[in-house]
Amino acid sequence: MQARNRLVATAAAVAATVVVTGCGTSTGSEAGSAAAGGGGGEGYPCDADEVTIGGLWAQSGPQAAYGEWFANGTEMAVEDVNAEGGIGGQTQIRLQVEDTRALPEPAVVAFQGMVADGIQYVLSSFSSQTLALAPIAANEEVVLVNGGAQSDALGEQGPFLFNTIPLLRNESAALAEKLYEDGVRSAAIIYTSDDGGEAARENFEAAFTELGGEIAGVESAEFGGTDFRSQLTKLRSTDPEVLLLGAFGQDSNNIISQVREIGWDVPLANTSWVAIPAVLENPAAEGLRLTTIPFEPSEEFQQEYQEKYGEAPESAFIGNYYDGVTIFAEAFQHVCDSGAETVSGAALADAIREIGTFDSVYGSELTFEEGTASRPIDLAVIEGGAVRPVG
């Protein structure tokens, strides 16, 4: 299946255009509604010259490193679709981004503004944020696509939320199994008190104890906190064979540093969300075991990304958000090809379910199973500032 060939017509290439507005920047209500296709949930006209999709992620704060990946994948996909003539050789995609700082409250405000402007398709991120948006999306019949959050609760949010990333339970189970196979029989857990951290703790604890492992101790910590030494000192006294970090972003990096600062040489483990640049550059992370979602884009994609952003596309998050845009383009065309004159959020959601399997920039296919992507999971270790696969 050649999805990109289906979503865009074979037309003379035009200059790629991405319009990004940030938090605190306004395009004006009339301009926003026109680009979106009209407010009040009317939908995008099939003959529109331009339609707007939304992006909600952290552009500031401790989780901004993820937001950069999310933005890069999304913007590059928008440019690629637009450069090939747009959807159906006619309709350009415009991207409107708002900074949520990975927090639910600003995300809800930004999302409600997008809904008021008639935007029917929004890319989201982070578990607490996306879980806050999901019931609003269902009520307003706006498609919400998540490529960066993994709380298991995201698989139970109804027909308007689609996850282009596997949920955390799959990675936690794979990590627990690998550690147990390697002879680890006791583990301690430190986790942050957000939805993702809670899910990481629950999933690893369930999988590891089911295998026969023992949880020596568990400590919770504030999401976005800076000092984890008290919790780490308590866990150190339990003498586990490995410390599982139920945290991501700067939280995970701070925990990793402080484990070594208190003189604790315990082996560390986490899931794929830990592998941000700050962690890879942290000498204290050497030897950390983690899960990975294999991301093997084409050489053409890698070269384009390198030229655009000055670095290799090493994170699977990039692919999740690139896929989110091409899924929109294919679903939009699917609805219009059915004879519809407008494309509503409900029609887009139905189209995604009807199509089911999409070509993915990963170099494979993406199949939604009850709204969540099925992707393979591998095991790796951080060595020399890089993620190295292990058998």
Side-chain angles (χ1 to χ4, degrees):
M1 178 171 56
Q2 298 296 320
R4 286 186 60 193
N5 289 341
R6 289 207 310 273
L7 6 135
V8 296
T10 307
V14 297
T17 302
V18 178
V19 179
V20 180
T21 62
C23 189
T25 303
S26 175
T27 59
S29 60
E30 291 184 6
S33 294
E42 298 169 3
Y44 305 116
C46 281
D47 60 357
D49 292 330
E50 180 184 83
V51 295
T52 300
I53 62 174
L56 297 173
W57 45 70
Q59 296 178 296
S60 62
Q63 312 306 340
Y66 295 101
E68 184 174 349
W69 282 328
F70 304 161
N72 290 354
T74 304
E75 291 172 9
M76 190 165 141
V78 169
E79 289 187 0
D80 286 349
V81 171
N82 288 347
E84 294 188 43
I87 306 171
Q90 171 180 308
T91 304
Q92 298 280 293
I93 300 174
R94 178 180 182 272
L95 174 62
Q96 179 177 328
V97 176
E98 299 289 347
D99 181 11
T100 69
R101 305 190 304 281
L103 299 173
E105 294 82 0
V108 167
V109 172
F111 184 70
Q112 289 174 330
M114 290 178 177
V115 170
D117 281 342
I119 293 175
Q120 306 291 315
Y121 190 95
V122 178
L123 298 165
S124 185
S125 55
F126 304 103
S127 294
S128 296
Q129 166 186 314
T130 304
L131 289 170
L133 298 180
I136 305 173
N139 184 62
E140 298 290 347
E141 297 191 343
V142 171
V143 172
L144 196 63
V145 175
N146 158 55
Q150 293 184 279
S151 170
D152 295 326
L154 293 165
E156 304 166 356
Q157 298 302 308
F160 286 89
L161 175 62
F162 296 89
N163 304 295
T164 59
I165 185 173
L167 300 181
L168 197 56
R169 58 176 171 255
N170 299 328
E171 290 197 54
S172 296
L175 181 61
E177 183 176 349
K178 178 59 178 174
L179 291 173
Y180 196 84
E181 286 178 356
D182 289 347
V184 175
R185 293 296 181 267
S186 68
I189 303 172
I190 182 169
Y191 69 98
T192 50
S193 55
D194 61 304
D195 290 290
E198 292 273 5
R201 177 193 65 80
E202 293 174 3
N203 288 324
F204 182 84
E205 185 171 353
F208 191 63
T209 55
E210 185 176 352
L211 291 166
E214 176 189 0
I215 301 299
V218 177
E219 290 289 330
S220 64
E222 179 186 2
F223 176 70
T226 57
D227 190 349
F228 305 92
R229 294 174 183 84
S230 174
Q231 293 95 329
L232 293 171
T233 299
K234 291 178 184 178
L235 292 174
R236 184 179 184 179
S237 68
T238 68
D239 194 28
E241 296 173 60
V242 69
L243 176 64
L244 185 281
L245 313 182
F248 60 89
Q250 193 58 43
D251 286 345
S252 62
N253 194 42
N254 288 338
I255 292 170
I256 290 165
S257 294
Q258 290 170 26
V259 167
R260 303 311 182 209
E261 287 172 10
I262 67 172
W264 193 12
D265 61 356
V266 65
L268 304 175
N270 204 334
T271 51
S272 63
W273 61 13
V274 73
I276 62 172
V279 169
L280 297 180
E281 295 166 4
N282 188 347
E286 185 74 10
L288 183 149
R289 285 177 278 187
L290 69 156
T291 49
T292 63
I293 302 172
F295 179 49
E296 300 173 349
S298 67
E299 290 185 11
E300 178 185 4
F301 180 93
Q302 294 182 54
Q303 181 177 352
E304 180 184 355
Y305 190 93
Q306 180 76 45
E307 291 175 353
K308 182 172 178 59
Y309 298 110
E311 62 184 23
E314 295 181 345
S315 172
F317 289 120
I318 297 165
N320 298 340
Y321 284 85
Y322 190 102
D323 284 348
V325 174
T326 58
I327 288 167
F328 167 73
E330 185 168 354
F332 184 103
Q333 190 63 52
H334 183 85
V335 174
C336 294
D337 286 346
S338 72
E341 295 184 357
T342 60
V343 182
S344 66
L348 285 168
D350 288 342
I352 293 170
R353 282 186 289 272
E354 289 169 8
I355 297 168
T357 297
F358 298 80
D359 279 353
S360 170
V361 75
Y362 273 64
S364 57
E365 291 184 335
L366 180 159
T367 298
F368 285 109
E369 297 178 358
E370 297 183 349
T372 297
S374 174
R375 298 196 192 269
I377 297 169
D378 288 345
L379 280 299
V381 62
I382 294 178
E383 290 182 347
V387 176
R388 314 286 186 190
V390 298

PDB file of all heavy atoms in Angstrom, residues 339-373:
ATOM      1  N   GLY A 339     -17.861  10.913  -1.571  1.00  0.00           N
ATOM      2  CA  GLY A 339     -18.919  11.785  -2.076  1.00  0.00           C
ATOM      3  C   GLY A 339     -19.341  12.866  -1.109  1.00  0.00           C
ATOM      4  O   GLY A 339     -20.211  13.684  -1.432  1.00  0.00           O
ATOM      5  N   ALA A 340     -18.710  12.908   0.080  1.00  0.00           N
ATOM      6  CA  ALA A 340     -19.059  13.941   1.053  1.00  0.00           C
ATOM      7  C   ALA A 340     -18.582  15.311   0.574  1.00  0.00           C
ATOM      8  O   ALA A 340     -17.612  15.409  -0.178  1.00  0.00           O
ATOM      9  CB  ALA A 340     -18.437  13.615   2.405  1.00  0.00           C
ATOM     10  N   GLU A 341     -19.250  16.357   1.014  1.00  0.00           N
ATOM     11  CA  GLU A 341     -18.831  17.719   0.689  1.00  0.00           C
ATOM     12  C   GLU A 341     -17.997  18.346   1.798  1.00  0.00           C
ATOM     13  O   GLU A 341     -17.238  19.273   1.557  1.00  0.00           O
ATOM     14  CB  GLU A 341     -20.060  18.586   0.413  1.00  0.00           C
ATOM     15  CG  GLU A 341     -20.838  18.164  -0.827  1.00  0.00           C
ATOM     16  CD  GLU A 341     -21.999  19.098  -1.126  1.00  0.00           C
ATOM     17  OE1 GLU A 341     -22.217  20.044  -0.326  1.00  0.00           O
ATOM     18  OE2 GLU A 341     -22.679  18.892  -2.146  1.00  0.00           O
ATOM     19  N   THR A 342     -18.157  17.834   3.017  1.00  0.00           N
ATOM     20  CA  THR A 342     -17.376  18.325   4.144  1.00  0.00           C
ATOM     21  C   THR A 342     -16.810  17.146   4.922  1.00  0.00           C
ATOM     22  O   THR A 342     -17.308  16.017   4.830  1.00  0.00           O
ATOM     23  CB  THR A 342     -18.224  19.191   5.096  1.00  0.00           C
ATOM     24  OG1 THR A 342     -19.314  18.409   5.596  1.00  0.00           O
ATOM     25  CG2 THR A 342     -18.756  20.430   4.394  1.00  0.00           C
ATOM     26  N   VAL A 343     -15.762  17.437   5.694  1.00  0.00           N
ATOM     27  CA  VAL A 343     -15.075  16.402   6.478  1.00  0.00           C
ATOM     28  C   VAL A 343     -15.154  16.793   7.950  1.00  0.00           C
ATOM     29  O   VAL A 343     -14.443  17.683   8.409  1.00  0.00           O
ATOM     30  CB  VAL A 343     -13.603  16.270   6.039  1.00  0.00           C
ATOM     31  CG1 VAL A 343     -12.924  15.159   6.834  1.00  0.00           C
ATOM     32  CG2 VAL A 343     -13.510  16.005   4.546  1.00  0.00           C
ATOM     33  N   SER A 344     -16.017  16.145   8.686  1.00  0.00           N
ATOM     34  CA  SER A 344     -16.171  16.409  10.113  1.00  0.00           C
ATOM     35  C   SER A 344     -15.221  15.522  10.915  1.00  0.00           C
ATOM     36  O   SER A 344     -14.647  14.552  10.398  1.00  0.00           O
ATOM     37  CB  SER A 344     -17.604  16.131  10.547  1.00  0.00           C
ATOM     38  OG  SER A 344     -17.890  14.740  10.413  1.00  0.00           O
ATOM     39  N   GLY A 345     -15.089  15.825  12.209  1.00  0.00           N
ATOM     40  CA  GLY A 345     -14.294  14.974  13.070  1.00  0.00           C
ATOM     41  C   GLY A 345     -14.848  13.567  13.135  1.00  0.00           C
ATOM     42  O   GLY A 345     -14.095  12.579  13.133  1.00  0.00           O
ATOM     43  N   ALA A 346     -16.177  13.443  13.180  1.00  0.00           N
ATOM     44  CA  ALA A 346     -16.791  12.117  13.221  1.00  0.00           C
ATOM     45  C   ALA A 346     -16.481  11.329  11.958  1.00  0.00           C
ATOM     46  O   ALA A 346     -16.198  10.129  12.006  1.00  0.00           O
ATOM     47  CB  ALA A 346     -18.304  12.251  13.411  1.00  0.00           C
ATOM     48  N   ALA A 347     -16.514  12.004  10.806  1.00  0.00           N
ATOM     49  CA  ALA A 347     -16.204  11.333   9.540  1.00  0.00           C
ATOM     50  C   ALA A 347     -14.739  10.921   9.485  1.00  0.00           C
ATOM     51  O   ALA A 347     -14.401   9.840   8.974  1.00  0.00           O
ATOM     52  CB  ALA A 347     -16.537  12.249   8.368  1.00  0.00           C
ATOM     53  N   LEU A 348     -13.851  11.755  10.013  1.00  0.00           N
ATOM     54  CA  LEU A 348     -12.430  11.406  10.055  1.00  0.00           C
ATOM     55  C   LEU A 348     -12.198  10.182  10.939  1.00  0.00           C
ATOM     56  O   LEU A 348     -11.441   9.271  10.577  1.00  0.00           O
ATOM     57  CB  LEU A 348     -11.609  12.580  10.582  1.00  0.00           C
ATOM     58  CG  LEU A 348     -11.397  13.753   9.628  1.00  0.00           C
ATOM     59  CD1 LEU A 348     -10.825  14.955  10.385  1.00  0.00           C
ATOM     60  CD2 LEU A 348     -10.460  13.358   8.480  1.00  0.00           C
ATOM     61  N   ALA A 349     -12.841  10.151  12.096  1.00  0.00           N
ATOM     62  CA  ALA A 349     -12.691   9.003  13.000  1.00  0.00           C
ATOM     63  C   ALA A 349     -13.193   7.723  12.340  1.00  0.00           C
ATOM     64  O   ALA A 349     -12.548   6.665  12.412  1.00  0.00           O
ATOM     65  CB  ALA A 349     -13.442   9.261  14.304  1.00  0.00           C
ATOM     66  N   ASP A 350     -14.341   7.808  11.672  1.00  0.00           N
ATOM     67  CA  ASP A 350     -14.863   6.630  10.966  1.00  0.00           C
ATOM     68  C   ASP A 350     -13.914   6.193   9.858  1.00  0.00           C
ATOM     69  O   ASP A 350     -13.693   4.991   9.653  1.00  0.00           O
ATOM     70  CB  ASP A 350     -16.238   6.946  10.368  1.00  0.00           C
ATOM     71  CG  ASP A 350     -17.325   7.059  11.427  1.00  0.00           C
ATOM     72  OD1 ASP A 350     -17.117   6.572  12.556  1.00  0.00           O
ATOM     73  OD2 ASP A 350     -18.387   7.640  11.116  1.00  0.00           O
ATOM     74  N   ALA A 351     -13.344   7.157   9.146  1.00  0.00           N
ATOM     75  CA  ALA A 351     -12.431   6.830   8.047  1.00  0.00           C
ATOM     76  C   ALA A 351     -11.175   6.132   8.557  1.00  0.00           C
ATOM     77  O   ALA A 351     -10.690   5.170   7.942  1.00  0.00           O
ATOM     78  CB  ALA A 351     -12.060   8.093   7.279  1.00  0.00           C
ATOM     79  N   ILE A 352     -10.643   6.587   9.678  1.00  0.00           N
ATOM     80  CA  ILE A 352      -9.452   5.953  10.251  1.00  0.00           C
ATOM     81  C   ILE A 352      -9.742   4.498  10.599  1.00  0.00           C
ATOM     82  O   ILE A 352      -8.939   3.604  10.325  1.00  0.00           O
ATOM     83  CB  ILE A 352      -8.964   6.742  11.479  1.00  0.00           C
ATOM     84  CG1 ILE A 352      -8.436   8.116  11.042  1.00  0.00           C
ATOM     85  CG2 ILE A 352      -7.862   5.974  12.221  1.00  0.00           C
ATOM     86  CD1 ILE A 352      -8.144   9.061  12.208  1.00  0.00           C
ATOM     87  N   ARG A 353     -10.914   4.253  11.177  1.00  0.00           N
ATOM     88  CA  ARG A 353     -11.276   2.876  11.516  1.00  0.00           C
ATOM     89  C   ARG A 353     -11.515   2.049  10.257  1.00  0.00           C
ATOM     90  O   ARG A 353     -11.149   0.858  10.212  1.00  0.00           O
ATOM     91  CB  ARG A 353     -12.515   2.871  12.413  1.00  0.00           C
ATOM     92  CG  ARG A 353     -12.196   3.218  13.861  1.00  0.00           C
ATOM     93  CD  ARG A 353     -13.425   3.065  14.746  1.00  0.00           C
ATOM     94  NE  ARG A 353     -14.401   4.112  14.489  1.00  0.00           N
ATOM     95  CZ  ARG A 353     -14.398   5.300  15.103  1.00  0.00           C
ATOM     96  NH1 ARG A 353     -13.474   5.583  15.987  1.00  0.00           N
ATOM     97  NH2 ARG A 353     -15.327   6.196  14.821  1.00  0.00           N
ATOM     98  N   GLU A 354     -12.126   2.625   9.249  1.00  0.00           N
ATOM     99  CA  GLU A 354     -12.381   1.895   8.005  1.00  0.00           C
ATOM    100  C   GLU A 354     -11.091   1.540   7.289  1.00  0.00           C
ATOM    101  O   GLU A 354     -10.939   0.422   6.768  1.00  0.00           O
ATOM    102  CB  GLU A 354     -13.275   2.727   7.088  1.00  0.00           C
ATOM    103  CG  GLU A 354     -14.711   2.852   7.574  1.00  0.00           C
ATOM    104  CD  GLU A 354     -15.513   3.891   6.789  1.00  0.00           C
ATOM    105  OE1 GLU A 354     -14.979   4.402   5.770  1.00  0.00           O
ATOM    106  OE2 GLU A 354     -16.650   4.203   7.189  1.00  0.00           O
ATOM    107  N   ILE A 355     -10.148   2.467   7.237  1.00  0.00           N
ATOM    108  CA  ILE A 355      -8.866   2.194   6.573  1.00  0.00           C
ATOM    109  C   ILE A 355      -8.063   1.196   7.407  1.00  0.00           C
ATOM    110  O   ILE A 355      -7.518   0.226   6.874  1.00  0.00           O
ATOM    111  CB  ILE A 355      -8.079   3.504   6.367  1.00  0.00           C
ATOM    112  CG1 ILE A 355      -8.854   4.437   5.429  1.00  0.00           C
ATOM    113  CG2 ILE A 355      -6.691   3.209   5.787  1.00  0.00           C
ATOM    114  CD1 ILE A 355      -8.314   5.861   5.397  1.00  0.00           C
ATOM    115  N   GLY A 356      -7.967   1.436   8.692  1.00  0.00           N
ATOM    116  CA  GLY A 356      -7.384   0.461   9.616  1.00  0.00           C
ATOM    117  C   GLY A 356      -5.873   0.384   9.619  1.00  0.00           C
ATOM    118  O   GLY A 356      -5.236   0.528  10.650  1.00  0.00           O
ATOM    119  N   THR A 357      -5.285   0.136   8.459  1.00  0.00           N
ATOM    120  CA  THR A 357      -3.838  -0.024   8.329  1.00  0.00           C
ATOM    121  C   THR A 357      -3.286   1.045   7.397  1.00  0.00           C
ATOM    122  O   THR A 357      -3.796   1.232   6.290  1.00  0.00           O
ATOM    123  CB  THR A 357      -3.482  -1.426   7.797  1.00  0.00           C
ATOM    124  OG1 THR A 357      -3.913  -2.411   8.748  1.00  0.00           O
ATOM    125  CG2 THR A 357      -1.976  -1.570   7.600  1.00  0.00           C
ATOM    126  N   PHE A 358      -2.249   1.725   7.868  1.00  0.00           N
ATOM    127  CA  PHE A 358      -1.647   2.825   7.124  1.00  0.00           C
ATOM    128  C   PHE A 358      -0.161   2.549   6.918  1.00  0.00           C
ATOM    129  O   PHE A 358       0.489   1.932   7.766  1.00  0.00           O
ATOM    130  CB  PHE A 358      -1.793   4.148   7.894  1.00  0.00           C
ATOM    131  CG  PHE A 358      -3.208   4.579   8.135  1.00  0.00           C
ATOM    132  CD1 PHE A 358      -3.957   4.027   9.174  1.00  0.00           C
ATOM    133  CD2 PHE A 358      -3.796   5.545   7.331  1.00  0.00           C
ATOM    134  CE1 PHE A 358      -5.260   4.430   9.405  1.00  0.00           C
ATOM    135  CE2 PHE A 358      -5.101   5.956   7.555  1.00  0.00           C
ATOM    136  CZ  PHE A 358      -5.841   5.400   8.587  1.00  0.00           C
ATOM    137  N   ASP A 359       0.386   3.049   5.811  1.00  0.00           N
ATOM    138  CA  ASP A 359       1.829   3.044   5.667  1.00  0.00           C
ATOM    139  C   ASP A 359       2.426   3.964   6.719  1.00  0.00           C
ATOM    140  O   ASP A 359       1.864   5.024   7.021  1.00  0.00           O
ATOM    141  CB  ASP A 359       2.245   3.525   4.276  1.00  0.00           C
ATOM    142  CG  ASP A 359       2.149   2.430   3.230  1.00  0.00           C
ATOM    143  OD1 ASP A 359       1.882   1.277   3.604  1.00  0.00           O
ATOM    144  OD2 ASP A 359       2.349   2.736   2.038  1.00  0.00           O
ATOM    145  N   SER A 360       3.545   3.569   7.286  1.00  0.00           N
ATOM    146  CA  SER A 360       4.181   4.342   8.333  1.00  0.00           C
ATOM    147  C   SER A 360       5.584   4.749   7.921  1.00  0.00           C
ATOM    148  O   SER A 360       6.285   3.996   7.235  1.00  0.00           O
ATOM    149  CB  SER A 360       4.252   3.517   9.626  1.00  0.00           C
ATOM    150  OG  SER A 360       5.072   4.142  10.597  1.00  0.00           O
ATOM    151  N   VAL A 361       6.005   5.920   8.356  1.00  0.00           N
ATOM    152  CA  VAL A 361       7.364   6.379   8.077  1.00  0.00           C
ATOM    153  C   VAL A 361       8.392   5.519   8.804  1.00  0.00           C
ATOM    154  O   VAL A 361       9.582   5.576   8.513  1.00  0.00           O
ATOM    155  CB  VAL A 361       7.498   7.871   8.471  1.00  0.00           C
ATOM    156  CG1 VAL A 361       7.566   8.033   9.977  1.00  0.00           C
ATOM    157  CG2 VAL A 361       8.712   8.504   7.807  1.00  0.00           C
ATOM    158  N   TYR A 362       7.937   4.686   9.737  1.00  0.00           N
ATOM    159  CA  TYR A 362       8.825   3.735  10.407  1.00  0.00           C
ATOM    160  C   TYR A 362       9.489   2.786   9.408  1.00  0.00           C
ATOM    161  O   TYR A 362      10.476   2.152   9.712  1.00  0.00           O
ATOM    162  CB  TYR A 362       8.027   2.882  11.387  1.00  0.00           C
ATOM    163  CG  TYR A 362       7.858   3.437  12.774  1.00  0.00           C
ATOM    164  CD1 TYR A 362       7.149   4.617  13.006  1.00  0.00           C
ATOM    165  CD2 TYR A 362       8.374   2.775  13.876  1.00  0.00           C
ATOM    166  CE1 TYR A 362       6.963   5.108  14.286  1.00  0.00           C
ATOM    167  CE2 TYR A 362       8.201   3.251  15.159  1.00  0.00           C
ATOM    168  CZ  TYR A 362       7.497   4.426  15.358  1.00  0.00           C
ATOM    169  OH  TYR A 362       7.316   4.909  16.636  1.00  0.00           O
ATOM    170  N   GLY A 363       8.912   2.667   8.229  1.00  0.00           N
ATOM    171  CA  GLY A 363       9.390   1.687   7.264  1.00  0.00           C
ATOM    172  C   GLY A 363       8.566   0.419   7.298  1.00  0.00           C
ATOM    173  O   GLY A 363       8.940  -0.607   6.731  1.00  0.00           O
ATOM    174  N   SER A 364       7.418   0.478   7.945  1.00  0.00           N
ATOM    175  CA  SER A 364       6.514  -0.663   8.061  1.00  0.00           C
ATOM    176  C   SER A 364       5.087  -0.134   8.015  1.00  0.00           C
ATOM    177  O   SER A 364       4.862   1.026   7.692  1.00  0.00           O
ATOM    178  CB  SER A 364       6.771  -1.404   9.375  1.00  0.00           C
ATOM    179  OG  SER A 364       6.614  -0.526  10.473  1.00  0.00           O
ATOM    180  N   GLU A 365       4.134  -0.974   8.341  1.00  0.00           N
ATOM    181  CA  GLU A 365       2.751  -0.543   8.391  1.00  0.00           C
ATOM    182  C   GLU A 365       2.320  -0.276   9.821  1.00  0.00           C
ATOM    183  O   GLU A 365       2.836  -0.874  10.773  1.00  0.00           O
ATOM    184  CB  GLU A 365       1.835  -1.601   7.759  1.00  0.00           C
ATOM    185  CG  GLU A 365       2.001  -1.736   6.257  1.00  0.00           C
ATOM    186  CD  GLU A 365       1.009  -2.709   5.653  1.00  0.00           C
ATOM    187  OE1 GLU A 365       0.541  -3.614   6.387  1.00  0.00           O
ATOM    188  OE2 GLU A 365       0.691  -2.569   4.466  1.00  0.00           O
ATOM    189  N   LEU A 366       1.369   0.626   9.979  1.00  0.00           N
ATOM    190  CA  LEU A 366       0.770   0.924  11.269  1.00  0.00           C
ATOM    191  C   LEU A 366      -0.663   0.423  11.242  1.00  0.00           C
ATOM    192  O   LEU A 366      -1.446   0.838  10.384  1.00  0.00           O
ATOM    193  CB  LEU A 366       0.802   2.427  11.541  1.00  0.00           C
ATOM    194  CG  LEU A 366       0.222   2.955  12.865  1.00  0.00           C
ATOM    195  CD1 LEU A 366       0.807   4.330  13.163  1.00  0.00           C
ATOM    196  CD2 LEU A 366      -1.305   3.048  12.851  1.00  0.00           C
ATOM    197  N   THR A 367      -0.989  -0.468  12.142  1.00  0.00           N
ATOM    198  CA  THR A 367      -2.344  -0.985  12.248  1.00  0.00           C
ATOM    199  C   THR A 367      -2.925  -0.592  13.594  1.00  0.00           C
ATOM    200  O   THR A 367      -2.299  -0.808  14.636  1.00  0.00           O
ATOM    201  CB  THR A 367      -2.367  -2.517  12.113  1.00  0.00           C
ATOM    202  OG1 THR A 367      -1.874  -2.885  10.820  1.00  0.00           O
ATOM    203  CG2 THR A 367      -3.782  -3.058  12.277  1.00  0.00           C
ATOM    204  N   PHE A 368      -4.102   0.022  13.573  1.00  0.00           N
ATOM    205  CA  PHE A 368      -4.770   0.377  14.820  1.00  0.00           C
ATOM    206  C   PHE A 368      -5.553  -0.823  15.336  1.00  0.00           C
ATOM    207  O   PHE A 368      -6.357  -1.405  14.624  1.00  0.00           O
ATOM    208  CB  PHE A 368      -5.722   1.557  14.610  1.00  0.00           C
ATOM    209  CG  PHE A 368      -5.028   2.880  14.481  1.00  0.00           C
ATOM    210  CD1 PHE A 368      -4.979   3.540  13.262  1.00  0.00           C
ATOM    211  CD2 PHE A 368      -4.419   3.469  15.577  1.00  0.00           C
ATOM    212  CE1 PHE A 368      -4.339   4.765  13.135  1.00  0.00           C
ATOM    213  CE2 PHE A 368      -3.779   4.694  15.466  1.00  0.00           C
ATOM    214  CZ  PHE A 368      -3.734   5.344  14.245  1.00  0.00           C
ATOM    215  N   GLU A 369      -5.304  -1.185  16.578  1.00  0.00           N
ATOM    216  CA  GLU A 369      -6.054  -2.236  17.259  1.00  0.00           C
ATOM    217  C   GLU A 369      -6.803  -1.575  18.407  1.00  0.00           C
ATOM    218  O   GLU A 369      -6.207  -1.168  19.388  1.00  0.00           O
ATOM    219  CB  GLU A 369      -5.115  -3.316  17.771  1.00  0.00           C
ATOM    220  CG  GLU A 369      -4.366  -4.049  16.647  1.00  0.00           C
ATOM    221  CD  GLU A 369      -3.395  -5.092  17.148  1.00  0.00           C
ATOM    222  OE1 GLU A 369      -3.261  -5.235  18.399  1.00  0.00           O
ATOM    223  OE2 GLU A 369      -2.759  -5.761  16.317  1.00  0.00           O
ATOM    224  N   GLU A 370      -8.106  -1.418  18.236  1.00  0.00           N
ATOM    225  CA  GLU A 370      -8.954  -0.707  19.202  1.00  0.00           C
ATOM    226  C   GLU A 370      -8.403   0.684  19.487  1.00  0.00           C
ATOM    227  O   GLU A 370      -8.355   1.137  20.639  1.00  0.00           O
ATOM    228  CB  GLU A 370      -9.095  -1.526  20.487  1.00  0.00           C
ATOM    229  CG  GLU A 370      -9.788  -2.868  20.254  1.00  0.00           C
ATOM    230  CD  GLU A 370      -9.987  -3.654  21.533  1.00  0.00           C
ATOM    231  OE1 GLU A 370      -9.409  -3.261  22.565  1.00  0.00           O
ATOM    232  OE2 GLU A 370     -10.716  -4.647  21.514  1.00  0.00           O
ATOM    233  N   GLY A 371      -7.969   1.356  18.427  1.00  0.00           N
ATOM    234  CA  GLY A 371      -7.555   2.737  18.532  1.00  0.00           C
ATOM    235  C   GLY A 371      -6.098   2.967  18.878  1.00  0.00           C
ATOM    236  O   GLY A 371      -5.655   4.120  18.948  1.00  0.00           O
ATOM    237  N   THR A 372      -5.330   1.907  19.085  1.00  0.00           N
ATOM    238  CA  THR A 372      -3.925   2.045  19.463  1.00  0.00           C
ATOM    239  C   THR A 372      -3.038   1.297  18.481  1.00  0.00           C
ATOM    240  O   THR A 372      -3.346   0.173  18.091  1.00  0.00           O
ATOM    241  CB  THR A 372      -3.680   1.525  20.891  1.00  0.00           C
ATOM    242  OG1 THR A 372      -4.435   2.323  21.811  1.00  0.00           O
ATOM    243  CG2 THR A 372      -2.205   1.594  21.264  1.00  0.00           C
ATOM    244  N   ALA A 373      -1.922   1.923  18.108  1.00  0.00           N
ATOM    245  CA  ALA A 373      -1.013   1.320  17.146  1.00  0.00           C
ATOM    246  C   ALA A 373      -0.331   0.094  17.723  1.00  0.00           C
ATOM    247  O   ALA A 373       0.053   0.066  18.890  1.00  0.00           O
ATOM    248  CB  ALA A 373       0.040   2.339  16.719  1.00  0.00           C
TER     249      ALA A 373
END
